[in-house]
Amino acid sequence: MKISTLLVCLSFSSATAVRAQAPEAAPWPDLSAELAPARQKFDEKNFDTAVAKLKALGEKHPGHPEVYYLLGSCYAQIGMVPEMLEAWETVMRSDAGHGPSRQDYVKARYNLAKILVRQGKSDEAMEHLAKGLAADPKHGKSH
């Protein structure tokens, strides 16, 4: 299957498949309340403030996949590609392929694959997509 066809198929699904699965043991604490102000700033497109809040959370919760996925997303919005890649690589190095954080792990691999395709690195993109699928074959963005 061509990489472009695969990416098109991936982009039509929703992330609700992960939420519908039975919960697994969470290796990371739930930071919903602590992340809310940063998410609000992200939604308001106030990315600099969101980054500052997320960096502080990252110091408090090193390697937490939700923090670093959102941080990478902020960097993506403001064009800070090296920082974005570093943040998403933190997600991928975490144990986010399991439990509730799996969604951020799979999204990080999917988004990185899209960037790699744009850079003409289809083989590397396919590796990230395969790892995302292996972590969660039913994830909306990966099937």
Side-chain angles (χ1 to χ4, degrees), residues 44-63:
E44 294 170 356
K45 299 189 184 327
N46 187 342
F47 302 115
D48 292 331
T49 302
V51 165
K53 291 180 179 299
L54 291 163
K55 282 183 172 181
L57 274 175
E59 289 177 16
K60 188 176 175 183
H61 303 281

Side-chain angles (χ1 to χ4, degrees), residues 42-113:
F42 181 89
D43 292 342
E44 294 170 356
K45 299 189 184 327
N46 187 342
F47 302 115
D48 292 331
T49 302
V51 165
K53 291 180 179 299
L54 291 163
K55 282 183 172 181
L57 274 175
E59 289 177 16
K60 188 176 175 183
H61 303 281
H64 195 291
E66 286 183 276
V67 171
Y68 285 89
Y69 179 74
L70 188 55
L71 182 59
S73 297
C74 287
Y75 286 139
Q77 293 297 317
I78 55 180
M80 297 178 70
V81 175
E83 292 83 353
M84 172 199 70
L85 294 173
E86 183 178 335
W88 286 346
E89 286 169 1
T90 299
V91 174
M92 291 181 279
R93 281 191 308 269
S94 71
D95 191 28
H98 308 284
S101 297
R102 175 183 3 200
Q103 180 179 1
D104 295 314
Y105 175 86
V106 175
K107 288 189 298 185
R109 290 219 177 262
Y110 169 76
N111 289 331
L112 182 54

Side-chain angles (χ1 to χ4, degrees), residues 113-139:
K114 289 193 316 185
I115 291 165
L116 291 168
V117 166
R118 287 186 209 127
Q119 295 175 342
K121 299 177 181 176
S122 297
D123 291 340
E124 196 175 338
M126 288 298 290
E127 288 176 30
H128 284 286
L129 292 173
K131 288 178 182 178
L133 279 169
D136 190 357
K138 296 182 181 179
H139 188 277

